[in-house]
Amino acid sequence: MIQTLRRLAIGLVVLLIVTAISSADTISEVLRRQPQAAGQVRVVALGDSVTSGHNCNCAAFPQMYGDLLHDRSDVPVLVNNLGVAGLDSNGLLQLLNQHNSPAEQATAAANVVLITIGANDFGDHHDDVTSGQCTGDCVSDEFEQLQGNLGKILDRIHVLRANLPTTILMTGYWNVFKDGDVAKRQYTPSGRIASDQLTVRTNAAIAAAAQADDATYVDIYTPFEDSTDITSLLASDGDHPNAAGHTLIARTLLAATPNPLTASPRQGG
């Protein structure tokens, strides 16, 4: 008799869970309904190899940021780093639109979203730019697509968040390609200038997208370029941050994060 009642109870719980999920369009909707622990912060980091911590062999900036935010606010901070090496803005948009993907579910449950995306959109023109042979016209199509994708990415985040209060921090880049001593060895002087110009232009597009969305643009270019030696912030490939670089990004993100952590629901969303 006891075993029968236990089976009936388990069956009832399973039925309730299935009913809740089947009545929602996505699992992310079920996640949104779950109450968040008081004071708890959930961070999702979306982006490319910079976000993932590629070639650093260290804790990447999203986890460093989460630790710093916990120290500042004294509340639990959960970090989900979904950075993917080689990801471009098209790829990120696809991940966010993929039904029940980890990116969709984690974003739906996060009240802080970190975004670093855009550098890989110009990868096909790396040699043209860094040799100094490319003018702005050679990346005009990619640049236009990036601008459109940034808006779509932000729109999708708000849909997944059901327009709930969300702090969105969008970083720029210190360089969309290599920098420091490695760039000096591998690129022509005109190529380094062209790479820097493309970086500034890319950062401006990211900043504009953030401003249009009431998100926060986080300038990474200035603290990297103003450092005593930018090479000391980069991994051996000259293309990714080392531990010191990730620390600088995390601290810059923290400085741009409201204290106390607040965000307004998207208006007219």
Side-chain angles (χ1 to χ4, degrees):
M1 181 64 177
I2 293 176
Q3 291 179 343
T4 300
L5 291 174
R6 184 177 299 167
R7 285 197 295 269
L8 287 172
I10 293 174
L12 179 59
V13 171
V14 172
L15 177 61
L16 289 173
I17 294 174
V18 171
T19 301
I21 294 178
S22 63
S23 64
D25 292 334
T26 64
I27 290 178
S28 59
E29 291 187 17
V30 177
L31 287 172
R32 279 199 294 267
R33 293 187 190 127
Q34 294 177 350
Q36 188 164 312
Q40 184 184 76
V41 176
R42 292 184 180 182
V43 178
V44 64
L46 306 170
D48 51 31
S49 56
V50 177
T51 299
S52 71
H54 183 75
N55 209 25
C56 178
N57 197 26
C58 66
F61 75 80
Q63 187 58 56
M64 292 183 179
Y65 168 79
D67 292 341
L68 291 171
L69 187 59
H70 167 70
D71 291 342
R72 190 181 79 175
S73 59
D74 197 28
V75 298
V77 178
L78 304 178
V79 178
N80 196 340
N81 187 349
L82 298 181
V84 179
L87 193 70
D88 60 13
S89 63
N90 275 326
L92 178 54
L93 188 58
Q94 290 173 9
L95 288 177
L96 290 172
N97 281 319
Q98 184 178 343
H99 185 63
N100 288 339
S101 68
E104 182 190 71
Q105 295 182 41
T107 301
N111 52 349
V112 177
V113 181
L114 311 179
I115 306 173
T116 301
I117 202 69
N120 290 318
D121 287 50
F122 307 105
D124 290 344
H125 294 284
H126 172 274
D127 293 345
D128 296 329
V129 173
T130 57
S131 65
Q133 299 177 25
C134 174
T135 64
D137 291 340
C138 82
V139 294
S140 58
D141 290 344
E142 289 81 359
F143 189 78
E144 182 179 353
Q145 187 171 59
L146 172 62
Q147 290 177 301
N149 284 344
L150 290 172
K152 292 175 183 177
I153 287 168
L154 290 166
D155 286 343
R156 182 58 179 162
I157 289 170
H158 289 296
V159 169
L160 292 173
R161 289 287 297 149
N163 291 326
L164 290 171
T166 308
T167 297
I168 302 177
L169 305 172
M170 303 178 71
T171 77
Y173 292 88
W174 62 95
N175 203 312
V176 295
F177 296 132
K178 297 178 182 179
D179 209 328
D181 291 345
V182 174
K184 291 177 182 178
R185 291 195 302 268
Q186 297 184 4
Y187 302 160
T188 65
S190 60
R192 294 199 301 273
I193 293 173
S195 178
D196 183 72
Q197 290 174 338
L198 179 57
T199 302
V200 171
R201 187 181 179 194
T202 300
N203 289 343
I206 297 170
Q211 182 178 16
D213 189 80
D214 288 332
T216 299
Y217 171 70
V218 181
D219 175 23
I220 299 299
Y221 180 92
T222 299
F224 267 74
E225 294 297 332
D226 285 353
S227 64
T228 304
D229 178 16
I230 195 171
T231 302
S232 67
L233 300 173
L234 302 176
S236 58
D237 61 5
D239 199 28
H240 299 92
N242 59 16
H246 278 282
T247 299
L248 180 56
I249 295 173
R251 289 175 176 169
T252 305
L253 280 165
L254 183 71
T257 304
N259 186 15
L261 185 64
T262 58
S264 299
R266 193 183 197 191
Q267 300 301 315

